[in-house]
Amino acid sequence: MCCLRRARVVTLCVVRAPCGRDTPRPVTISVFDMFTIGIGPSSSHTVGPMRAAERFVGTLREAGALERVARVKAELYGSLGATGRGHGSDVAVLLGLEGERPETTDVDAIPARVAQFTAEGTLKLGGVHPIPFTQPDHLVFHRKLTLPQHPNGMRFIALDASGAELANRTYFSVGGGFVVNEGATDIASATPRVVVPHPFDTGAELLKRCRETGLSIGTLMRENERTWRSDAEIDARLLAIWHAMEACVRRGCEREGILPGGLKVKRRAASLFRKLRVDARDTDPLVVMDWVSLFALAVNEENAAGGRVVTAPTNGAAGIVPAVLHYYRRFVPGADDEGTMRFLLTAGAIAILYKKNASISGAEVGCQGEVGVACSMAAGALTEAMGGTPEQVENAAEIGMEHNLGLTCDPIGGLVQVPCIERNAMGSVKAIHAARLALQGDGTHKVSLDKVIATMRQTGADMKTKYKETARGGLAVNIIEC
């Protein structure tokens, strides 16, 4: 079922009504679906494949067939096939087949485990059953073959000692670490449906709920989250996300050297951090921008090195929300944990709108679906944390995306390094600017958030495949890799 042709863009969670207007499907997503703690460098290419591989092992275990497996073949298609090596998909598949999950795997132990895989040519399926596994015999990257359903396709096949097929499953990594089974047209299979007190599918509906209840977006989201968990658990999980972001920035400010992958990109965050500490009394009024850039660079250098990051809403754009949140904590008077939680809840609400009505997959809509969405999330979240009205929050989120429309995804060498790392720094500053612009107004504006989301989706559909995380266009072909 693979084909040598341009990948067909599939818009998730949206159906076409007879009148031609888009009608979102009612899929309930939690804030904690949009913020997950995992590993770099890519949510679609690393986190998703690891989850898919682990899910495949689960099907074997449930069928009682795990111990009968003599061989597993994994095939990666489309963007996964084109840039999977640079994005760590090979390592992710190996770890997933051994039963590892991105949330809990020991990132510091990965290099040694990869060396062991390479030396021995075996893995322990589900962590218990040894089988041979080598490249390219058992892990195949189809650089120019795409499965029809989505650009990020994976197929796993398990065979017994006689060569008989025990299981054959196809999965799609649809952005932000979400994985759906073959045949699924939305993320309903990844997110259980529940009844929340304030359902919304569009920005207009979200604002309407806020007006009807008198709630801020952050408070409304908290009331929805109570459907799943208590306030104490909500607080604990939100602060755990913040602390994971803090830890990632801290590690990024401490580590130096050359990033892996062959581009020989030098880490810059540590040296910039030392300079800013020395120049702490600098009277340059724009020095705050340097700090924001530092926060973003630190996160995305860690991400590029395969470190522990928070998917927000993707790994390629993982530095923007932490950078803007660090800006809030460090430079906004009165910043505290309560404001931090409102920030994350609001960012999650905005991310949900994009996930439901467009895409957060760079392979599907280009980098506007990653850096653009993260910029939009951070802009609206900062506006909320600084006391903005729901209308001002919606305005800030719209500004954040409007000026990222058409942003391509053309990673050099298939690595999440150039232009990705600097792009996060630029997106962070843009998000702060968007929030400040929105706070100067009363929330009224010409282009709604819903309209800009629809425009982003349409722009992504029109964008040539070579500019959508394939490393076959743009900077990826105009810059010599070494």
Side-chain angles (χ1 to χ4, degrees):
M1 276 303 289
C2 56
C3 49
L4 270 169
R5 62 173 178 81
R6 177 182 174 183
R8 177 171 65 91
V9 173
V10 179
T11 301
L12 299 177
C13 304
V14 176
V15 293
R16 187 71 63 179
C19 64
R21 299 183 65 183
D22 294 324
T23 304
R25 292 175 178 173
V27 178
T28 300
I29 308 172
S30 166
V31 168
F32 300 108
D33 293 321
M34 306 310 305
F35 290 112
T36 58
I37 300 172
I39 65 171
S42 172
S43 50
S44 294
H45 292 62
T46 310
V47 175
M50 188 185 295
R51 287 177 175 163
E54 193 269 339
R55 182 183 296 184
F56 179 67
V57 172
T59 65
L60 293 169
R61 182 178 286 111
E62 290 170 6
L66 186 65
E67 300 296 331
R68 294 165 53 201
V69 176
R71 180 170 177 256
V72 168
K73 185 174 183 180
E75 299 180 274
L76 277 62
Y77 296 87
S79 179
L80 292 176
T83 64
R85 293 187 190 277
H87 283 58
S89 300
D90 48 353
V91 176
V93 168
L94 291 168
L95 293 172
L97 289 174
E98 285 210 327
E100 292 283 353
R101 297 181 179 182
E103 299 86 350
T104 55
T105 191
D106 183 353
V107 295
D108 294 324
I110 289 176
R113 293 184 67 178
V114 171
Q116 183 178 358
F117 287 140
T118 304
E120 299 178 358
T122 62
L123 61 78
K124 288 186 177 180
L125 193 64
V128 295
H129 180 54
I131 60 170
F133 198 88
T134 59
Q135 300 184 53
D137 296 327
H138 303 97
L139 178 57
V140 181
F141 289 86
H142 296 290
R143 291 182 57 84
K144 295 183 179 180
L145 298 179
T146 299
L147 300 179
Q149 185 170 322
H150 190 277
N152 288 332
M154 296 163 278
R155 180 171 291 139
F156 294 90
I157 303 169
L159 306 170
D160 67 14
S162 70
E165 190 173 284
L166 296 172
N168 186 325
R169 297 288 187 278
T170 300
Y171 305 99
F172 296 92
S173 181
V174 298
F178 285 88
V179 174
V180 298
N181 297 332
E182 184 177 26
T185 56
D186 55 34
I187 60 169
S189 60
T191 53
R193 296 169 184 266
V194 298
V195 178
V196 295
H198 309 295
F200 62 89
D201 290 319
T202 66
E205 290 178 1
L206 177 58
L207 290 178
K208 183 174 181 287
R209 298 287 182 187
C210 290
R211 285 192 293 268
E212 290 173 344
T213 61
L215 300 175
S216 69
I217 291 176
T219 303
L220 182 143
M221 286 303 298
R222 176 177 285 275
E223 293 199 354
N224 280 351
E225 288 298 320
R226 288 173 181 155
T227 305
W228 290 282
R229 49 192 65 88
S230 67
D231 275 321
E233 187 179 356
I234 294 169
D235 291 350
R237 294 186 66 169
L238 289 171
L239 292 176
I241 289 168
W242 159 237
H243 293 319
M245 291 176 174
E246 275 190 304
C248 187
V249 169
R250 184 169 57 251
R251 289 194 308 271
C253 289
E254 294 171 348
R255 300 185 180 184
E256 302 190 62
I258 304 298
L259 292 171
L263 274 185
K264 301 179 182 178
V265 173
K266 183 179 179 181
R267 286 180 179 253
R268 289 177 286 174
S271 61
L272 177 56
F273 179 54
R274 287 194 299 271
K275 182 178 184 299
L276 289 174
R277 291 183 69 185
V278 171
D279 299 339
R281 297 181 182 178
D282 196 325
T283 57
D284 180 356
L286 296 181
V287 71
V288 172
M289 290 178 58
D290 294 331
W291 280 101
V292 173
S293 295
L294 166 67
F295 302 143
L297 293 175
V299 171
N300 283 88
E301 287 174 357
E302 275 297 290
N303 180 65
R308 178 77 63 203
V309 298
V310 176
T311 302
T314 69
N315 285 22
I320 294 174
V321 170
V324 177
L325 187 48
H326 274 76
Y327 164 82
Y328 165 73
R329 297 283 303 206
R330 186 181 183 100
F331 297 107
V332 175
D336 56 15
D337 284 350
E338 192 275 332
T340 297
M341 291 187 285
R342 286 192 292 111
F343 182 109
L344 292 172
L345 288 164
T346 303
I350 296 165
I352 288 167
L353 292 175
Y354 284 98
K355 188 64 180 173
K356 284 187 174 185
N357 299 296
S359 174
I360 58 172
S361 168
E364 195 171 16
V365 294
C367 197
Q368 58 175 357
E370 298 197 39
V371 163
V373 172
C375 179
S376 181
M377 292 165 58
L382 179 61
T383 303
E384 164 97 6
M386 293 179 67
T389 65
E391 290 75 16
Q392 289 172 319
V393 170
E394 188 261 0
N395 187 191
E398 182 276 327
I399 294 171
M401 173 53 74
E402 183 177 338
H403 303 290
N404 278 294
L405 288 173
L407 194 62
T408 61
C409 186
D410 47 2
I412 299 174
L415 300 167
V416 193
Q417 296 178 17
V418 181
C420 318
I421 296 172
E422 283 185 356
R423 190 168 282 179
N424 275 256
M426 301 299 290
S428 301
V429 172
K430 188 180 291 186
I432 295 169
H433 193 184
R436 293 180 68 86
L437 279 174
L439 287 166
Q440 296 303 318
D442 61 3
T444 59
H445 52 110
K446 291 292 184 182
V447 181
S448 70
L449 178 57
D450 290 330
K451 291 294 185 183
V452 84
I453 291 174
T455 302
M456 185 271 273
R457 184 183 70 248
Q458 294 157 3
T459 303
D462 291 338
M463 190 181 292
K464 290 185 177 180
T465 300
K466 68 180 182 179
Y467 296 118
K468 295 192 285 191
E469 209 167 5
T470 59
R472 296 203 298 264
L475 287 174
V477 299
N478 286 306
I479 303 296
I480 299 174
E481 293 182 23
C482 58

